[in-house]
Amino acid sequence: MLNNQVPVTVLTGFLGSGKTTLLNRILTENHGKRIAVIENEFGEIGVDNDLVIGAEEEIFEMNNGCICCTVRGDLIRILGNLMKRRDKFDYIMVETTGLADPGPVAQTFFMDTEMQEKLQLDSVTTLVDAKHIWQHIDDSDEAREQIAFADVILLNKIDLVTEEELEQLEARIRSMNAAAKIYRTKDAVVEMDKILNVGGFDLDRAMEVDPQFMEPEYPFEWAGVYDLSAGTHELVLQEGPDPAMKVALVPVNASTDEALEDAVEPVVMVFSDDEYELSAGGTLQPSGQLIALNLTADELRFDVQIERPGAYALFTEHHPDEFQAQLFGSGTLVKPAVEREFKPDHEHDDEVTSVGITTPGDLDPDRLNDWISDLLRTKGIDIFRMKGILSIKGQPNRFVFQGVHMLFDGRPDRPWGGEPRYNSLIFIGRNLDRAELTEGFEACLA
């Protein structure tokens, strides 16, 4: 290391690309580094920690949210606690969920001064499933962002596709990210010096990918300050992309950029409160309360009641242009004296969900095999990822398995010993039927 900063690799890649396989390889290779691992899982139960080998490493697990949004505070907290034990490791790996946007994760290491002093983002390393990425690269923002932000790309599972398909995929990836180093791998086998201490994260390039990279994300996209007289004004909208929009109206000191800036952080807190739904025809007041405008009526008009003349800032979840939103006073259009756009919270593909099943007991291997085979044959296209730990009747060892779409791989793991035997598995995909999956799995119990 050139200084006392701890290098950090953010490991990303779409569901089933091979992140955990690479992580296990890193933890077992003889590279002489002591590595702390931070795991993040998408879904209601965590199994990745059980899939990662190497008990001597520091492994921290974050569930119930994606590291790039809801549990990002947990990442900062864990990093802070890790640094108190700085003498126990000399490298940090952060494995994100398969649905994470790596941008906000990388941003974590630049937004906090203390983080910058102690940690150095070495690279964003992205794994790409050479066989299945085509099913997601056009309809998943996350898959494209993972590729776009990568400093190092492992084109993994090359044994499952032809050379021609590889060339086609590599050309597509090059068109999205010409700067990344690309390595073709099978089972994520790569020389360690290709992914550790590569000094690869390029902030300038990150800014090219996302010009607002260094800006914090906000729960609103726009704010405008209006000079309003006392009385009733009217907010008029047209039908837009969503049936509702959250807004907050607050008084500010003046119609200036500075006054708007002073209001931003308090309004962030307002947007974290419970919302009050307001139907068309209702009255909006500068109460500092989060209001959800119901935009399902034919005529979308809301009264805005102002008791005292002055400057008022309207914060909107979406850009007003999306709904052709306009404010009128006495029938005259009122334009904002000051306005600003904000970098909004990114959104995940809401159709992608997870179903987790955890149950004690042993499984009948024949029934399990029939069920899994039928499941993958009939629903494999919608099951992006499945993985877990199983207790097979008559087998002394845990059975670990992973699946990607219709491909499935499983193998015996360490002995159960005196540990209570249980089954824990998770499915991630689209159109998942929780009741059907749970019923099918429980029918496999011995």
Side-chain angles (χ1 to χ4, degrees):
M1 280 189 304
L2 297 177
N3 51 43
N4 197 38
Q5 292 171 302
V6 177
V8 180
T9 294
V10 174
L11 194 58
T12 183
F14 202 72
L15 297 163
S17 57
K19 295 186 295 298
T20 303
T21 301
L22 176 63
L23 187 57
N24 279 331
R25 198 165 293 285
I26 292 170
L27 295 179
T28 53
E29 288 278 342
N30 184 26
H31 45 62
K33 295 180 176 60
R34 297 168 302 166
I35 298 179
V37 177
I38 299 175
E39 288 266 4
N40 179 218
E41 292 194 53
F42 178 86
E44 56 213 36
I45 62 171
V47 296
D48 272 1
N49 201 17
D50 286 328
L51 300 178
V52 173
I53 57 179
E56 295 181 0
E57 281 75 18
E58 302 267 357
I59 298 179
F60 300 86
E61 189 173 359
M62 294 184 294
N63 298 325
N64 300 319
C66 183
I67 198 172
C68 63
C69 37
T70 56
V71 297
R72 191 163 157 217
D74 283 354
L75 172 63
I76 295 173
R77 177 179 53 79
I78 288 175
L79 288 169
N81 289 333
L82 265 178
M83 297 315 294
K84 295 175 183 175
R85 293 184 285 171
R86 171 69 183 84
D87 58 326
K88 295 186 179 297
F89 61 91
D90 41 32
Y91 207 101
I92 296 175
M93 300 290 301
V94 180
E95 181 187 356
T96 68
T97 74
L99 293 173
D101 172 1
V105 182
Q107 187 190 48
T108 303
F109 300 96
F110 295 91
M111 298 302 293
D112 186 286
T113 304
E114 187 175 352
M115 289 283 178
Q116 281 186 290
E117 292 174 351
K118 297 178 179 177
L119 302 165
Q120 180 184 48
L121 183 58
D122 186 60
S123 74
V124 173
T125 294
T126 299
L127 284 99
V128 175
D129 182 332
K131 181 175 177 63
H132 296 102
I133 189 63
W134 291 110
Q135 297 179 32
H136 309 290
I137 199 167
D138 289 321
D139 64 359
S140 166
D141 290 340
E142 290 83 5
R144 289 193 295 272
E145 285 160 353
Q146 289 163 0
I147 291 171
F149 265 100
D151 303 290
V152 177
I153 293 175
L154 300 190
L155 207 52
N156 197 30
K157 306 185 183 181
I158 59 172
D159 52 314
L160 302 180
V161 295
T162 65
E163 178 67 21
E164 183 181 2
E165 290 170 325
L166 271 177
E167 294 289 344
Q168 183 185 5
L169 177 57
E170 192 163 326
R172 174 69 186 274
I173 290 174
R174 284 285 180 214
S175 71
M176 300 165 66
N177 183 347
K181 297 174 183 174
I182 299 178
Y183 301 105
R184 297 181 177 186
T185 61
K186 175 187 174 186
D187 296 329
V189 175
V190 63
E191 296 174 28
M192 289 296 106
D193 60 2
K194 298 287 196 300
I195 53 174
L196 295 180
N197 271 340
V198 295
F201 187 78
D202 187 332
L203 182 58
D204 291 336
R205 201 178 59 73
M207 297 287 284
E208 289 177 11
V209 173
D210 178 6
Q212 295 178 307
F213 175 74
M214 291 297 287
E215 292 184 21
E217 296 183 346
Y218 293 96
F220 36 78
E221 288 190 7
W222 182 89
V225 178
Y226 296 87
D227 287 314
L228 299 179
S229 58
T232 302
H233 302 258
E234 192 175 37
L235 181 64
V236 181
L237 302 92
Q238 304 297 322
E239 185 179 0
D242 280 336
M245 178 167 68
K246 297 174 186 174
V247 302
L249 181 66
V250 297
V252 293
N253 294 329
S255 302
T256 62
D257 291 322
E258 292 75 15
L260 176 57
E261 182 63 31
D262 290 342
V264 168
E265 289 306 322
V267 173
V268 169
M269 299 303 294
V270 170
F271 268 74
S272 68
D273 288 341
D274 293 335
E275 63 201 42
Y276 172 77
E277 183 175 320
L278 189 66
S279 298
T283 300
L284 181 65
Q285 294 178 314
S287 60
Q289 185 179 16
L290 182 62
I291 305 293
L293 302 179
N294 186 323
L295 305 178
T296 57
D298 293 334
E299 194 169 356
L300 301 174
R301 294 174 177 271
F302 299 85
D303 287 341
V304 178
Q305 188 67 44
I306 301 297
E307 292 188 2
R308 297 177 183 174
Y312 294 88
L314 178 66
F315 288 77
T316 61
E317 180 184 10
H318 304 295
H319 198 288
D321 287 353
E322 296 181 59
F323 297 87
Q324 302 177 51
Q326 293 180 309
L327 185 63
F328 293 89
S330 302
T332 302
L333 177 65
V334 181
K335 292 188 175 181
V338 173
E339 61 182 315
R340 178 182 162 189
E341 295 181 5
F342 297 88
K343 184 179 181 180
D345 289 339
H346 59 282
E347 297 178 352
H348 292 296
D349 182 348
D350 291 336
E351 293 182 2
V352 178
T353 58
S354 71
V355 173
I357 302 172
T358 299
T359 180
D362 290 337
L363 294 163
D364 182 292
D366 293 333
R367 273 184 265 166
L368 176 68
N369 187 57
D370 290 344
W371 178 66
I372 290 283
S373 299
D374 182 66
L375 186 66
L376 294 182
R377 187 177 63 253
T378 57
K379 304 289 177 59
I381 193 70
D382 282 335
I383 297 177
F384 298 170
R385 194 81 172 95
M386 56 184 294
K387 52 191 173 182
I389 310 293
L390 301 178
S391 174
I392 307 294
K393 184 179 181 181
Q395 298 298 319
N397 291 48
R398 306 184 331 161
F399 187 82
V400 300
F401 76 94
Q402 301 199 47
V404 180
H405 287 296
M406 296 177 187
L407 299 180
F408 178 90
D409 178 57
R411 63 196 67 182
D413 186 44
R414 60 182 167 80
W416 285 103
E419 185 182 352
R421 298 172 69 110
Y422 67 97
N423 305 280
S424 182
L425 66 165
I426 189 164
F427 300 88
I428 301 171
R430 286 198 179 98
N431 306 316
L432 299 181
D433 186 326
R434 177 183 297 276
E436 184 181 31
L437 287 170
T438 302
E439 183 181 351
F441 179 75
E442 290 181 347
C444 300
L445 289 169

